[in-house]
Amino acid sequence: MDNENTVKYAIECKGITKTFGSVVANDNIELTVKYGEILALLGENGSGKTTLMNMLSGIYHQDKGTIYIGGEEANINSPVDAMSLGIGMIHQHFKLVEVFSAGDNIILGTEKKKMKPKALKEEIRNISKNLGLEIDPDKKIYNMSVSEKQTVEILKVIYRGAKILILDEPTAVLTPQETEKLFALLRKMKEQGCAIIIITHKLNEVMAISDRVTILRKGKSIDTVNTSETNEKHLTELMVGRPVSLEIERNEVENKEKILKIVDLTVMKGDGTKALDDISFNIKTGEILGVAGVAGSGQKELCETIAGLMPAKQGAILYKKENIIGKSPSEIIKLGISMSFVPEDRLGMGLVASMGMVDNMLLKSYKDKKGFFVDRKPARELAKKLKDKLKVVTPSIDTPVRLMSGGNVQKVLLGREIESNPNLLITAYPVRGLDINSSYTIYDLLNEQKEKGVAVIFIGEDLDVLLELSDRIMVLCHGKITGIVDARKTTKEEIGILMTGGTIGEEEEND
Amino acid sequence: MDMFLNIFVAAVLAGTPLLFGTVGEIINEKVGHLNLGVEGMMSIGACAGFMAGYVTDNFIIAIIASFVAAALASLIYAVLTVTFMANQNVTGLTLTIFGIGLSNFIGIYMLGKSETGTLKLPENITAQMRDIHIPMLSDIPIIGKMFFSYNPFVYMGIIIAIAMGFYLYKTRLGLNLRAIGENPAAADAAGIKVTKLKYINLIIGGGICGIGGAYCSMIINGGVWISNNVGGLGWIAVALVIFASWKPVNAIWGSFIFGALRVLKYYIPKTVFPFPNAFYDMLPFLITAIVLVITSIKQSKENNIPESCGINYFREER
Amino acid sequence: MTNQAVQKSKEPFARIVKKSEMSGKNVAILRIMAFLLAIVAGGVFILCIGENPFAVYGAIISGAFRSVMAFQGTVKIMIPLLITSLGVTLAFKMKFWNIGAEGQIIMGAIFASYFALFHDTLNHTLLIFAMFIAGIIGGGLWGLIPAFFKSKFDTNETLFTLMLNYIALHIVSYLRDGPWMDPGSQGYSKIATFSKNAMLDRVMGVHIGWIIAIILTVFVFIYIKYTKQGYEISVVGESHETARYAGMNVKLITLRTMFLSGAICGIAGMVQATGSDKTLTTAVAGGVGFTAIIVAWLAQLNPVMIFIISFLFSVLEKGSSVLQSSYGLSTDCADVLQGIILFFVLGCELFVRYKFVFRKKGGA
């Protein structure tokens, strides 16, 4: 580490803590950046990166801790404060006004002297030319591609003369060529003395662009290392934690049968890009198929397409030899396919936030009995049973699940799915944000299902868990399958390479 | 020709109160607030304007009073929806009930104090509100009557509409406020003082509605106070905002068309068009409903209701 | 430059932050406090106009209860308000902003009036039944239209339902001036008073609308709480995504719920026309559709609370009618008081989910 007394930092965060309701998003975080330096902020989803950056840019305000900008204590109460301190943020979800032109978005909110529209456009063109960017100031945002929008975002902060740039996962939406261009731009700005923080979880990018790396994990700052003195493996360890033996039991189940076969499946996102690109795989009963990949590699779309919530563009999903593409979600539920997706905000589409456990038990089964009325008796019993079995902490089974802690919400969600006796159980991020004990409860549940002969697709973040829980691991990268490996034989490094788009020598034959 | 001229003049006169209400509501909606309290704000403006005119016998003071009173009413709405994040629809409807009630209440209270049992605006102010005679221009045949023969409200309305159009679409401040209505989070991130601008524009918009109210109480009934003098014009203004596709300058001709629809029934003989009167009254709303459906089918991003209109903004909302 | 900015940037005086949610009991206490505060504010208004707040409030309450007749009057005001509030509740539960209750009331009344005017020779029970069904269909169709455009094209329902109110209103004035004009009215255009056969029966001095209203309260309560369809409405209202995930047909549910919401408002129209007004006028809804939105919202969409709040509203309205005779205050006083009370109650809602954090002394 540098000597802290002599270096004047562009940003210095000391003991930053921020909670949302009962969720601690940032816990006593320490972070420093110098001018003329690129710092990578590395961490898994939900590790608190974006929350921290939102505090630097004035969107949130910290509950505890101090931020120093250029060595002075700063109180960032609003984006205006952040801007006058020279901080500019490029958000992951662009903060652009869709119906405005690029030019209007760039000058929005600035208090520079009013200029004639023509002169203004000229200035914007000049700035973009200097940085090797191309932009038509008159083009409306809603007519723009994602990378064009990002360019507008970058120009926006540069136009404001930001000296400290924060980029939140800027490469997630870019092609490799566009990423290279962006990095060239960032290096140029670094030479000009800017301090840059780039949030990412792609290790190869961290190695390529950053000078130092700060690693966050579960809302805590774990370590800061010089990029030149580290390697991807070390960073992975810091990000995911030491390789630990979790000792999850894994049994072999006899009489496996193929139950789901996905053939040449292609799914498009709303913006016209491919979410899943020609993927084929299968899963057998009595097997846990782990799915690894950085966030946004197509996991969500895979779940939703199988559940009938998203249309497929090409390919087939064969469930017991019958193509289920085109079936409605309720038909698919009836076939015994259960899907549970735990999004970053933990609620989302699996549960109804304002309802209690009882009513949430009913979500997929309320129509099972005939008649006009909802029969809550079985749901109430089920809720009670789950509460005891999974040790769900809640004041009562009628308390809105919104008021329950994340771990308990997930237990409710997964518990309900399992109780519906599915043949195929798809579960995404079921242990997201859970403590050790709750996580083990979930693993046991999944193993129990597998032994019963259920086919389980487990989409996870923690590679250690995937390695120990799954029978096979499928790795997704940019919507493509980069490999399907035997979880008993593979290593963490091997999966890490596949996740970032690399290939390994031998792949399991995909039949 | 004569009939056309008469219809034109009548349409402009009938459209003028709508113009104020519409321009005021456009400002409110552009900053992200679907204020259903237009009728109430206009009523309060109507009352304040009339009473100030009645007491002071001064037109300028009456206009200022109507603006200030309705702006204050709008301030109540702003406090509740911006700072207290109350539901916009419910708050707006409450403002309408409150405004009409307060206006009528004060009207009857004043009537009770009046010796004659009626309230009529005094001579001086009535004279000030007469049609303005512009030397030369007003004397041009036809053109003079069509464009230069109106009471001061008409010109004030057109000037305000053009000024607000300029403000919204040609100035930096207007750009900022439109950004708030479209995407407050983006505006906030760009350093725009969202709360402050919301307050300012809600108040200005409310005040403009109030002047429209003053027209209702001071002009329409010949300077005699009657209860419920706004009589639903505020709701037509809400419709007109859509018809004018949220542009103040469109509101000028839009309000004159809607004004024409309100007077046509008196001019067009039933032998020519056998439409019942109710049909003309319904038309503004029917057309607006159709416009709404068409814009939603076209999914047009522009010429549509501001994206975040109706939704309160809380910066730390996740 | 940065140093200056740091000094300039002061912490704001107060900041609104989300807090962990309150318990039901505390929320209730908060709301009661808000109500009391509102009453005090209304009292200040009364003081301002030179009257004694206690006396005026007392007069309002006695005005609503002082005699059997007065109480019957209160109930009469309450009936359409209660029914309509129940109607819009179904739509709001689905987060469908049905501002169109006013129009749905009118359409219900028009459809029912058709039978009252042109088929009044039917057997009385049959006629009442026919009018009831007509009211349901009229209001229901008027609710279905915006739901159709919403689910098909995502047409803004707040504005669309608002327009439909006035379209309905002018349909009445068309009927009044034209096809349905009472020939016996000697040029003054109005619709004929219904024949005795087409009027709702009275029970305990008030038309049977009150029984219908009570039945509907129970019905809506059960419908929301215990039926599959009610359950679906809650889920769709929470998130379309979740509803689809659970295999629900969101479009169908939207259409069905809006039909029902409109239908209940239509019943209010039928009851008002055939029970209270005994004819069809343009004032059949008379703003009840808007007040009902406020009632439903204040009651947090809970039918029992709706019953209580619509009763309070009716007491205020009926009671203030005596203010004219005893204090020379116009009945508009009720609207002003209503407005003031509502402003306070609306403002207090913030504190259920948020709190103000004030700047610490000597901070920044």
Side-chain angles (χ1 to χ4, degrees):
Chain A
M1 285 292 264
D2 297 288
N3 187 343
E4 285 180 17
N5 295 325
T6 53
V7 183
K8 200 172 159 192
Y9 290 109
I11 295 181
E12 186 175 9
C13 296
K14 276 193 175 165
I16 301 294
T17 299
K18 173 78 185 172
T19 52
F20 292 101
S22 55
V23 183
V24 183
N26 277 181
D27 187 0
N28 207 18
I29 289 202
E30 309 279 331
L31 177 137
T32 55
V33 203
K34 286 172 282 193
Y35 288 110
E37 179 187 58
I38 299 181
L39 176 85
L41 190 60
L42 186 67
E44 295 184 291
N45 282 66
S47 55
K49 294 167 295 184
T50 304
T51 306
L52 179 62
M53 292 304 113
N54 274 336
M55 278 184 285
L56 289 176
S57 61
I59 303 283
Y60 301 154
H61 193 270
Q62 73 267 22
D63 301 338
K64 265 190 228 139
T66 329
I67 299 171
Y68 299 87
I69 306 292
E72 304 271 335
E73 185 175 337
N75 206 334
I76 309 174
N77 287 304
S78 71
V80 183
D81 291 353
M83 221 172 291
S84 58
L85 290 164
I87 302 172
M89 175 145 176
I90 287 120
H91 295 269
Q92 188 180 3
H93 304 287
F94 303 136
K95 305 246 176 181
L96 295 172
V97 180
E98 289 272 308
V99 296
F100 284 6
S101 67
D104 282 349
N105 267 291
I106 290 168
I107 60 163
L108 195 63
T110 57
E111 277 166 12
K112 288 200 185 179
K113 249 205 287 179
K114 195 172 156 40
M115 276 196 251
K116 289 238 164 73
K118 221 175 176 183
L120 196 71
K121 273 172 208 161
E122 206 44 52
E123 193 187 337
I124 291 168
R125 283 211 182 86
N126 282 339
I127 294 175
S128 38
K129 226 180 252 166
N130 286 344
L131 293 163
L133 299 167
E134 267 175 47
I135 197 86
D136 171 10
D138 287 325
K139 197 168 177 182
K140 294 278 162 75
I141 301 297
Y142 63 83
N143 288 326
M144 285 188 169
S145 73
V146 205
S147 88
E148 280 179 292
K149 287 182 189 174
Q150 188 178 56
T151 311
V152 176
E153 279 282 19
I154 292 172
L155 282 173
K156 224 166 103 176
V157 296
I158 294 170
Y159 180 80
R160 279 145 225 260
K163 294 294 278 175
I164 302 168
L165 243 76
I166 304 169
L167 297 101
D168 191 358
E169 300 196 17
T171 58
V173 291
L174 301 183
T175 62
Q177 292 84 347
E178 287 168 337
T179 303
E180 223 11 82
K181 250 193 195 167
L182 174 71
F183 283 0
L185 171 67
L186 294 182
R187 289 194 192 99
K188 206 180 241 176
M189 297 183 64
K190 172 180 137 184
E191 280 161 25
Q192 291 169 7
C194 288
I196 296 169
I197 303 179
I198 175 167
I199 302 177
T200 179
H201 44 221
K202 293 183 189 164
L203 293 173
N204 54 343
E205 292 178 355
V206 172
M207 299 305 292
I209 187 81
S210 70
D211 299 312
R212 286 189 306 142
V213 191
T214 293
I215 297 101
L216 297 190
R217 193 165 72 220
K218 291 182 178 141
K220 293 195 171 94
S221 43
I222 300 299
D223 201 356
T224 299
V225 291
N226 291 324
T227 312
S228 55
E229 295 161 14
T230 187
N231 55 37
E232 294 193 19
K233 187 176 170 231
H234 182 222
L235 288 177
T236 315
E237 280 173 16
L238 287 171
M239 180 165 84
V240 297
R242 298 261 156 214
V244 278
S245 179
L246 298 162
E247 290 172 21
I248 303 170
E249 63 174 317
R250 173 163 53 192
N251 296 323
E252 194 61 42
V253 177
E254 302 291 313
N255 300 328
K256 291 185 189 175
E257 267 177 70
K258 219 179 267 177
I259 183 163
L260 186 82
K261 188 170 173 182
I262 290 190
V263 189
D264 301 342
L265 184 69
T266 299
V267 174
M268 308 301 276
K269 269 189 252 183
D271 59 12
T273 56
K274 281 181 182 166
L276 291 173
D277 190 356
D278 199 23
I279 63 164
S280 301
F281 68 93
N282 62 58
I283 176 164
K284 302 183 186 81
T285 57
E287 173 187 57
I288 296 181
L289 175 70
V291 178
V294 294
S297 298
Q299 294 98 322
K300 185 164 194 269
E301 289 81 3
L302 179 65
C303 293
E304 294 197 355
T305 313
I306 300 176
L309 295 165
M310 256 184 119
K313 187 167 177 258
Q314 275 162 5
I317 302 174
L318 301 172
Y319 175 75
K320 293 182 177 168
K321 300 215 157 83
E322 187 193 355
N323 191 355
I324 58 167
I325 282 182
K327 284 194 189 302
S328 73
S330 61
E331 286 168 325
I332 291 170
I333 292 169
K334 275 190 204 125
L335 287 172
I337 299 177
S338 139
M339 190 270 276
S340 65
F341 189 98
V342 178
E344 277 166 74
D345 60 1
R346 297 232 172 82
L347 290 160
M349 66 177 170
L351 293 171
V352 183
S354 63
M355 292 182 176
M357 270 181 82
V358 177
D359 278 11
N360 270 300
M361 290 301 121
L362 286 164
L363 193 61
K364 283 172 160 181
S365 60
Y366 74 100
K367 269 192 260 187
D368 290 354
K369 283 208 177 139
K370 280 196 181 136
F372 190 64
F373 293 97
V374 170
D375 185 3
R376 279 193 173 74
K377 222 187 241 164
R380 189 162 286 279
E381 271 156 27
L382 182 61
K384 269 187 207 146
K385 185 175 139 195
L386 282 184
K387 191 183 170 198
D388 295 342
K389 187 173 157 194
L390 304 180
K391 301 187 186 66
V392 179
V393 182
T394 171
S396 104
I397 51 175
D398 290 313
T399 308
V401 292
R402 179 182 68 218
L403 302 181
M404 293 160 56
S405 75
N408 288 306
V409 169
Q410 274 149 272
K411 285 182 198 168
V412 173
L413 176 60
L414 196 65
R416 181 190 71 203
E417 295 305 313
I418 287 169
E419 291 298 330
S420 70
N421 286 321
N423 298 319
L424 171 64
L425 179 68
I426 306 165
T427 176
Y429 314 116
V431 293
R432 194 172 246 176
L434 293 196
D435 60 57
I436 304 285
N437 285 332
S438 309
S439 301
Y440 275 94
T441 317
I442 304 272
Y443 305 144
D444 290 344
L445 280 172
L446 293 174
N447 266 321
E448 203 177 278
Q449 291 300 299
K450 168 179 151 186
E451 273 152 40
K452 265 173 64 187
V454 175
V456 180
I457 298 179
F458 175 87
I459 296 170
E461 294 171 311
D462 190 331
L463 293 181
D464 288 311
V465 174
L466 278 166
L467 281 168
E468 292 202 28
L469 184 68
S470 326
D471 294 293
R472 290 185 298 150
I473 298 174
M474 174 170 98
V475 186
L476 286 175
C477 177
H478 290 303
K480 287 188 176 133
I481 295 178
T482 46
I484 300 177
V485 293
D486 186 337
R488 288 175 181 79
K489 292 177 192 153
T490 191
T491 60
K492 217 169 165 179
E493 288 70 35
E494 214 171 66
I495 295 180
I497 293 167
L498 289 171
M499 276 166 68
T500 46
T503 48
I504 50 169
E506 65 183 313
E507 266 180 49
E508 194 197 349
E509 198 48 44
N510 179 22
D511 53 338
Chain B
M1 195 63 211
D2 256 8
M3 189 178 87
F4 172 76
L5 198 59
N6 286 338
I7 295 175
F8 186 91
V9 171
V12 169
L13 291 174
T16 299
L18 296 175
L19 180 58
F20 286 100
T22 308
V23 171
E25 178 70 2
I26 287 175
I27 308 259
N28 282 355
E29 291 191 19
K30 274 290 175 192
V31 81
H33 285 250
L34 182 65
N35 188 348
L36 295 180
V38 185
E39 180 85 5
M41 296 188 294
M42 283 179 76
S43 297
I44 286 178
C47 179
F50 187 96
M51 296 310 161
Y54 180 73
V55 173
T56 64
D57 199 8
N58 182 314
F59 182 62
I60 305 293
I61 291 179
I63 295 299
I64 292 173
S66 67
F67 183 92
V68 170
L72 285 175
S74 197
L75 178 64
I76 299 177
Y77 176 88
V79 169
L80 285 173
T81 56
V82 179
T83 302
F84 286 80
M85 289 180 270
N87 181 289
Q88 295 188 9
N89 291 333
V90 177
T91 309
L93 289 172
T94 305
L95 184 58
T96 287
I97 294 175
F98 173 76
I100 297 173
L102 186 65
S103 172
N104 289 345
F105 178 81
I106 294 175
I108 290 172
Y109 183 79
M110 292 295 283
L111 273 175
K113 294 203 157 185
S114 142
E115 283 159 11
T116 54
T118 56
L119 293 174
K120 190 168 185 338
L121 289 177
E123 282 297 316
N124 195 8
I125 190 167
T126 318
Q128 288 171 33
M129 293 191 311
R130 274 206 200 103
D131 296 348
I132 298 176
H133 186 89
I134 307 165
M136 306 289 289
L137 290 176
S138 303
D139 300 325
I140 307 169
I142 302 176
I143 304 282
K145 192 171 177 202
M146 264 178 93
F147 299 109
F148 304 107
S149 67
Y150 298 107
N151 64 60
F153 277 99
V154 177
Y155 302 107
M156 187 161 48
I158 293 171
I159 290 167
I160 287 177
I162 293 171
M164 287 300 136
F166 183 82
Y167 167 58
L168 275 179
Y169 288 93
K170 300 283 175 217
T171 66
R172 207 49 96 70
L173 216 52
L175 183 73
N176 291 354
L177 98 86
R178 283 186 291 133
I180 295 171
E182 294 289 343
N183 187 343
D188 199 357
I192 295 169
K193 296 200 167 89
V194 175
T195 305
K196 187 174 144 195
L197 273 188
K198 278 192 169 199
Y199 265 97
I200 291 173
N201 288 291
L202 284 172
I203 288 170
I204 292 175
I208 294 173
C209 290
I211 302 177
Y215 187 96
C216 298
S217 59
M218 296 167 75
I219 298 276
I220 292 180
N221 304 303
V224 178
W225 175 264
I226 61 164
S227 281
N228 292 321
N229 44 42
V230 178
L233 290 181
W235 292 110
I236 301 182
V238 175
L240 195 48
V241 171
I242 303 157
F243 186 74
S245 60
W246 290 268
K247 292 193 174 70
V249 179
N250 287 357
I252 298 175
W253 56 264
S255 62
F256 296 155
I257 289 179
F258 275 34
L261 291 173
R262 291 179 60 76
V263 297
L264 269 184
K265 59 186 172 196
Y266 304 118
Y267 289 93
I268 294 184
K270 289 284 170 288
T271 46
V272 184
F273 290 112
F275 296 132
N277 288 349
F279 178 76
Y280 293 103
D281 294 337
M282 188 201 287
L283 222 44
F285 301 104
L286 195 62
I287 293 171
T288 304
I290 294 168
V291 169
L292 258 181
V293 171
I294 291 171
T295 42
S296 64
I297 291 174
K298 283 204 320 211
Q299 294 187 316
S300 100
K301 285 256 179 192
E302 282 158 273
N303 300 334
N304 208 337
I305 184 166
E307 186 94 16
S308 76
C309 191
I311 307 158
N312 293 330
Y313 176 63
F314 179 54
R315 186 185 283 165
E316 298 198 9
E317 194 70 71
R318 293 235 290 183
Chain C
M1 176 219 153
T2 46
N3 289 355
Q4 272 178 348
V6 172
Q7 279 156 11
K8 251 194 278 173
S9 161
K10 259 194 194 163
E11 205 176 333
F13 171 64
R15 165 186 302 128
I16 296 173
V17 295
K18 210 166 218 171
K19 61 179 177 188
S20 47
E21 281 175 64
M22 295 170 99
S23 68
K25 198 177 132 201
N26 286 342
V27 173
I29 292 173
L30 181 80
R31 296 214 169 101
I32 291 169
M33 294 285 285
F35 183 71
L36 292 177
L37 202 63
I39 295 288
V40 172
V44 172
F45 166 75
I46 296 168
L47 263 181
C48 288
I49 55 173
E51 302 291 344
N52 176 353
F54 294 102
V56 170
Y57 278 133
I60 289 174
I61 291 169
S62 82
F65 295 101
R66 63 183 165 182
S67 66
V68 176
M69 268 263 282
F71 185 69
Q72 284 169 349
T74 308
V75 173
K76 249 176 148 175
I77 293 171
M78 179 180 171
I79 292 166
L81 184 60
L82 170 58
I83 298 178
T84 312
S85 305
L86 293 169
V88 293
T89 293
L90 292 181
F92 289 179
K93 198 95 195 165
M94 199 172 62
K95 303 236 164 76
F96 187 103
W97 277 104
N98 180 14
I99 309 291
E102 196 88 352
Q104 288 144 17
I105 293 172
I106 295 173
M107 288 314 278
I110 292 176
F111 274 49
S113 299
Y114 169 75
F115 286 93
L117 290 169
F118 303 106
H119 295 279
D120 61 342
T121 49
L122 282 172
N123 164 293
H124 179 67
T125 317
L126 192 64
L127 179 61
I128 298 293
F129 184 70
M131 291 193 301
F132 188 73
I133 299 296
I136 287 176
I137 292 173
L141 286 179
W142 220 237
L144 209 51
I145 297 169
F148 171 79
F149 286 109
K150 172 79 178 180
S151 59
K152 188 117 183 148
F153 306 115
D154 199 25
T155 308
N156 183 314
E157 78 273 21
T158 312
L159 297 172
F160 197 72
T161 49
L162 189 63
M163 295 308 119
L164 285 178
N165 287 340
Y166 295 95
I167 295 174
L169 183 71
H170 293 300
I171 292 176
V172 177
S173 53
Y174 163 68
L175 293 170
R176 180 197 60 198
D177 300 341
W180 289 10
M181 194 166 102
D182 183 4
S185 68
Q186 289 152 353
Y188 175 69
S189 65
K190 70 177 192 65
I191 292 169
T193 304
F194 299 158
S195 71
K196 190 100 184 113
N197 191 34
M199 290 179 196
L200 287 187
D201 303 87
R202 287 163 174 272
V203 174
M204 295 165 69
V206 184
H207 63 81
I208 55 165
W210 69 270
I211 300 177
I212 297 176
I214 289 173
I215 293 172
L216 280 173
T217 310
V218 176
F219 168 77
V220 171
F221 182 79
I222 291 174
Y223 185 80
I224 290 175
K225 236 181 154 173
Y226 297 109
T227 71
K228 289 178 183 174
Q229 299 191 353
Y231 181 75
E232 287 174 340
I233 293 173
S234 312
V235 177
V236 171
E238 183 91 12
S239 150
H240 285 201
E241 283 268 281
T242 305
R244 275 181 6 95
Y245 165 84
M248 293 175 187
N249 184 340
V250 175
K251 276 185 188 176
L252 179 80
I253 295 166
T254 307
L255 291 173
R256 185 184 67 209
T257 307
M258 268 312 287
F259 179 84
L260 208 58
S261 172
I264 295 177
C265 298
I267 294 173
M270 173 265 177
V271 164
Q272 182 66 16
T274 60
S276 248
D277 301 348
K278 302 177 178 82
T279 180
L280 178 65
T281 70
T282 49
V284 60
V288 164
F290 291 132
T291 313
I293 291 163
I294 298 169
V295 171
W297 188 254
L298 287 186
Q300 306 278 306
L301 310 182
N302 173 345
V304 179
M305 283 308 290
I306 287 174
F307 190 91
I308 296 169
I309 290 176
S310 58
F311 181 69
L312 291 177
F313 268 65
S314 309
V315 167
L316 181 59
E317 190 164 334
K318 173 70 190 163
S320 57
S321 65
V322 298
L323 292 183
Q324 179 124 40
S325 48
S326 18
Y327 291 90
L329 297 173
S330 83
T331 49
D332 299 300
C333 189
D335 290 341
V336 178
L337 279 176
Q338 213 179 74
I340 292 172
I341 291 172
L342 289 173
F343 287 144
F344 272 88
V345 177
L346 285 171
C348 283
E349 278 304 297
L350 175 85
F351 300 103
V352 176
R353 292 179 63 200
Y354 305 90
K355 61 182 174 188
F356 283 108
V357 175
F358 292 98
R359 180 174 56 199
K360 288 178 206 109
K361 271 188 191 139

